[in-house]
Amino acid sequence: MDFKKLAADASTVFNRAVQFTEEKFGHAEKTELDAHFENLMQRADTTRINTEKILGATESVLQPNPNARVEDFLYDKLDRKKRERQNNLERLGQFMVDAGNDFGPGTSYGNSLVKCGQTQQRLGQAEKDFVSTSANNFLTPLKNFLEGDMKTIQKERKLLETKRLDLDAAKSRVRKARSQAAQQQPGLIESCFPPVPPLRKSPEREELDHRISVEQAETDLRNAQSEFDRQSEITKLLLEGISSTHAHHLRCLNDFIEAQTTYYAQCQQYMQDLQRQLGSYSTSPNNPQGGLPTDIRPPAYESFPQPSAPPAGNGAPSGARKAKALYDYDAAGSKELSLLADEVITVYSVPGMDPDWMMGERGSQRGMVPVTYLEFVD
């Protein structure tokens, strides 16, 4: 073992500790970095903090289950393939499909459950695609930055702080050596006891020792200054690279927004297709339970008059009004008219009809519609 090197390293660490302690108590001067360098370090810290927050929040959005996030984290650390799991939409879809098959796909309810379940499974697959795309194009670059470039910057900043402590400690030694050399004068050493000649140095020898001490301290200062300047340039170059990191993260953010847009557009399309499929069941002969529940239908339902031909004249009966459907409505029989939400139809009253119902027309189609499903349009 090189004991001289070990002793020199221990002395360096001790000098750093002494310098750091004296700075904390205000007994030593500290080399300050320029304002531009301080701004670069502050921007790096802000980038790191906000990137960590965005990364954590995005992971929570893509995987709300904290246990699943921990499991995925462990698989990543172990460099193993993640376990395939069903998401909530896929699980719901499977339950609906199973229930529809149990009730019978030939029934209205069973058929609807099967269709809904299949749509939920498609939504679940779309969610998986969105999560995978977002993880590859958005989360992975953020993680790589935090675990790569940012760790390198932090490492170099710690090394810069170490070089700064060495520099200030060297400055302190130079000041101390120069002060001792200035105070040294020939014949100053006196004692109440007779001096021991072999142990006493001559004034010339003491002056030479102080000169050597000052020269050695100044050499150490020049070396420390050179090391500090070199490390300062390295750290500055890394900090200035944060600007290119922001530009790269902006591209990743655009990819994330594009993935979100695609995902929500797919979901909307799937739900619109499902809505049209469920609306078509209302005119099917296998849907005897459609329409309003029987307990809220008006009495003498079968006795309501049903016009067999359009009114004479311009095709619009007197008192006819435009009304917008507030909700979807499935006709229970041939005397009723199915409605789609937000569509506008012509409605009018028929003598002898229950006030909770009106006659509606959509082109050549006519039938009774519930008033509670309508909003009259001026």
Side-chain angles (χ1 to χ4, degrees):
M1 181 180 295
D2 192 344
F3 289 99
K4 290 184 178 180
K5 183 177 184 302
L6 181 62
D9 292 341
S11 175
T12 301
V13 173
F14 177 76
N15 291 334
R16 291 170 184 168
V18 171
Q19 179 66 26
F20 180 80
T21 304
E22 290 181 350
E23 288 177 359
K24 289 298 182 182
F25 287 99
H27 298 160
E29 296 181 0
K30 177 180 178 180
T31 300
E32 299 292 342
L33 300 171
D34 59 83
H36 177 61
F37 204 102
E38 292 288 349
N39 290 335
L40 290 176
M41 290 195 298
Q42 183 178 4
R43 186 175 64 164
D45 291 336
T46 303
T47 301
R48 175 183 59 82
I49 293 172
N50 287 283
T51 301
E52 290 174 348
K53 291 180 179 179
I54 293 173
L55 178 62
T58 306
E59 288 177 339
S60 299
V61 170
L62 299 181
Q63 178 50 266
N65 188 344
N67 295 328
R69 291 202 302 273
V70 172
E71 181 180 333
D72 293 341
F73 175 78
L74 294 177
Y75 276 110
D76 289 337
K77 289 300 181 182
L78 297 175
D79 196 17
R80 296 177 58 185
K81 185 178 179 181
K82 296 180 181 178
R83 180 174 61 89
E84 289 291 334
R85 66 171 72 92
Q86 279 188 329
N87 56 31
N88 294 331
L89 289 170
E90 289 178 322
R91 191 176 300 109
L92 173 61
Q94 187 61 50
F95 291 157
M96 285 184 171
V97 171
D98 294 342
N101 291 328
D102 289 343
F103 294 144
T107 64
S108 176
Y109 185 41
N111 199 355
S112 297
L113 280 173
V114 171
K115 293 296 183 182
C116 290
Q118 292 172 348
T119 300
Q120 296 300 323
Q121 289 176 335
R122 285 195 290 268
L123 291 174
Q125 184 59 48
E127 180 182 335
K128 280 188 174 180
D129 295 340
F130 166 63
V131 171
S132 176
T133 303
S134 300
N136 293 332
N137 297 341
F138 188 61
L139 292 184
T140 299
L142 297 185
K143 289 181 180 179
N144 291 341
F145 166 71
L146 292 175
E147 296 175 359
D149 294 346
M150 182 50 65
K151 283 189 176 180
T152 302
I153 290 175
Q154 290 177 320
K155 177 182 176 182
E156 296 299 331
R157 286 178 61 178
K158 289 180 180 179
L159 186 57
L160 177 63
E161 179 64 13
T162 299
K163 298 299 182 182
R164 201 268 311 161
L165 289 173
D166 292 342
L167 175 62
D168 290 338
K171 290 179 179 179
S172 178
R173 290 195 298 272
V174 169
R175 287 193 296 268
K176 187 180 297 184
R178 289 175 178 174
S179 176
Q180 291 177 352
Q183 293 176 359
Q184 181 63 33
Q185 297 178 3
L188 184 63
I189 302 177
E190 297 181 356
S191 175
C192 297
F193 300 95
V196 180
L199 300 178
R200 183 174 182 179
K201 297 180 181 179
S202 65
E204 292 80 4
R205 178 63 182 176
E206 291 182 354
E207 182 180 358
L208 177 62
D209 290 344
H210 284 297
R211 187 182 304 114
I212 293 175
S213 176
V214 171
E215 291 178 354
Q216 181 62 42
E218 290 177 345
T219 300
D220 293 342
L221 176 60
R222 287 192 295 271
N223 292 335
Q225 184 70 55
S226 176
E227 290 291 330
F228 174 77
D229 293 341
R230 176 177 175 274
Q231 185 60 36
S232 177
E233 288 299 322
I234 294 175
T235 308
K236 185 177 181 181
L237 288 175
L238 292 174
L239 292 174
E240 289 175 344
I242 293 293
S243 298
S244 61
T245 299
H246 287 181
H248 177 56
H249 287 181
L250 176 58
R251 293 191 294 270
C252 296
L253 179 62
N254 290 331
D255 293 339
F256 176 64
I257 297 303
E258 182 178 355
Q260 269 190 317
T261 303
T262 302
Y263 168 61
Y264 289 120
Q266 285 180 330
C267 292
Q268 183 183 16
Q269 184 61 45
Y270 292 154
M271 296 310 297
Q272 288 177 345
D273 293 342
L274 175 62
Q275 193 176 36
R276 283 193 294 268
Q277 292 176 10
L278 295 181
S280 65
Y281 295 155
S282 62
T283 59
S284 172
N286 294 325
N287 187 25
Q289 293 128 353
L292 287 176
T294 56
D295 57 343
I296 65 172
R297 292 188 179 280
Y301 171 76
E302 297 295 335
S303 64
F304 288 162
Q306 174 73 12
S308 58
N314 59 2
S318 59
R321 303 175 61 182
K322 295 291 185 181
K324 182 177 73 172
L326 298 175
Y327 323 100
D328 289 344
Y329 173 68
D330 297 335
S334 59
K335 292 186 177 182
E336 295 183 9
L337 180 67
S338 297
L339 298 176
L340 293 176
D342 296 330
E343 74 167 327
V344 178
I345 62 173
T346 302
V347 296
Y348 54 91
S349 299
V350 176
M353 181 178 289
D354 188 275
D356 293 333
W357 292 76
M358 297 187 72
M359 193 62 65
E361 288 186 0
R362 184 198 305 112
S364 60
Q365 299 178 344
R366 296 184 307 280
M368 294 185 302
V369 292
V371 177
T372 54
Y373 277 59
L374 302 176
E375 179 183 30
F376 294 105
V377 180
D378 293 336

